[in-house]
């Protein structure tokens, strides 16, 4: 992962502060204040400030723009699972981000308790996008990842069975051939397994490190 100062400049160059209602100076100042964060920390913007629908088109792979699948028009309604407490700050850092390759071919329903037992927290969809914005190589053919920290609640409180993920489009179906090899925000069923999807997680979220 690049140093936090470099990550801040990357977000500024992409126009993320404008999306989040922040100035470039505020992003730089936060990165400076969090400079003592563990090596490899990821800088993220709170999802209420920069939703997935606004961040996904900033992704790039082989010159192709990222996108959200057409049957996920409610992508910004996916919110943190109960038990995931986000810092009360427009910017925060995540420690020890991992793609979860060892859990490939697990279902989300199987992976969540295992991550919790290992004292890890599953990434939110927006956090996963931030990771790929900083490290495009985090998304690779046959090694993509789910972000099961984000889920949609139905009106009566039950969880929608869809779980969001980031992978690479094959350019088939409704994606369109022109999107082949583009970064893609999609979803999978909570009970299904996929050999090419890990479960991205971190050890902690912090509003800043003095």
């Amino acid at each position: 992962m690049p140093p936090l100062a470099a990550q801040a400049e990357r977000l500024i160059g992409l126009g993320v502060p404008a999306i989040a209602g922040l100035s470039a100076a505020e992003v730089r100042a936060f990165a400076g204040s969090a400079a003592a964060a563990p090596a490899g920390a990821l800088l993220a913007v709170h999802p209420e400030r920069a939703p997935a629908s606004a961040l996904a088109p900033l992704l790039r792979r082989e010159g192709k723009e990222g996108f959200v699948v057409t049957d996920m028009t409610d992508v910004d309604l996916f919110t943190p699972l109960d038990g995931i407490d986000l810092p009360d700050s427009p910017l925060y850092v995540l420690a020890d981000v991992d793609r979860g390759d060892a859990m490939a071919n697990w279902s989300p329903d199987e992976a969540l308790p295992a991550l919790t037992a290992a004292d890890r927290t599953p990434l939110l969809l927006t956090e996963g996008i931030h990771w790929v914005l900083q490290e495009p190589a985090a998304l690779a053919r046959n090694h993509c990842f789910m972000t099961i920290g984000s889920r949609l609640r139905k009106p009566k409180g039950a969880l929608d069975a869809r779980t969001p993920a980031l992978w690479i489009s094959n350019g088939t179906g409704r994606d369109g051939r022109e999107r082949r090899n583009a970064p893609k925000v999609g979803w999978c069923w909570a009970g299904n397994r996929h050999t090419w999807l890990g479960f991205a997680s971190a050890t902690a979220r912090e509003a800043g490190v003095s």
Side-chain angles (χ1 to χ4, degrees):
M1 198 81 70
L4 290 176
Q7 292 185 47
E9 294 304 320
R10 171 72 171 154
L11 295 183
I12 291 165
L14 290 169
V16 174
I19 293 170
L22 299 168
S23 68
E26 287 175 305
V27 178
R28 290 186 178 114
F30 178 84
S33 71
L42 172 66
L43 176 60
V45 180
H46 197 289
E48 291 182 359
R49 293 292 196 108
S53 64
L55 295 176
L58 303 179
L59 295 167
R60 292 290 186 278
R61 185 177 187 276
E62 297 185 6
K64 303 290 182 67
E65 181 179 293
F67 68 99
V68 180
V69 293
T70 58
D71 59 352
M72 205 175 180
T73 56
D74 53 0
V75 64
D76 293 336
L77 299 180
F78 282 69
T79 56
L81 278 172
D82 291 346
I84 295 180
D85 297 318
L86 299 187
D88 185 18
S89 168
L91 296 160
Y92 61 97
V93 294
L94 296 107
D96 191 24
V97 175
D98 181 76
R99 192 165 61 186
D101 290 357
M103 288 185 172
N105 208 32
W106 291 39
S107 73
D109 286 341
E110 293 166 333
L112 181 60
L115 289 172
T116 301
D119 291 325
R120 299 192 63 87
T121 178
L123 290 199
L124 307 184
L125 174 56
T126 52
E127 294 167 348
I129 295 174
H130 275 292
W131 186 17
V132 179
L133 287 175
Q134 299 292 349
E135 281 198 311
L139 208 60
R141 284 279 179 199
N142 300 315
H143 294 287
C144 300
F145 60 87
M146 304 198 69
T147 53
I148 60 173
S150 295
R151 294 292 294 270
L152 176 65
R153 288 203 173 274
K154 297 179 180 180
K156 293 186 178 180
L159 289 175
D160 186 283
R162 293 171 295 166
T163 52
L166 283 157
W167 71 89
I168 299 166
S169 175
N170 287 325
T172 57
R174 287 179 288 182
D175 288 2
R177 284 183 292 179
E178 70 280 3
R179 282 176 163 163
R180 178 172 173 77
N181 295 322
K184 171 178 177 177
V185 172
W187 58 271
C188 301
W189 300 119
N192 286 6
R193 298 174 178 174
H194 298 276
T195 59
W196 44 277
L197 286 174
F199 293 86
S201 66
T203 54
R205 296 175 178 86
E206 300 286 347
V209 180
S210 59

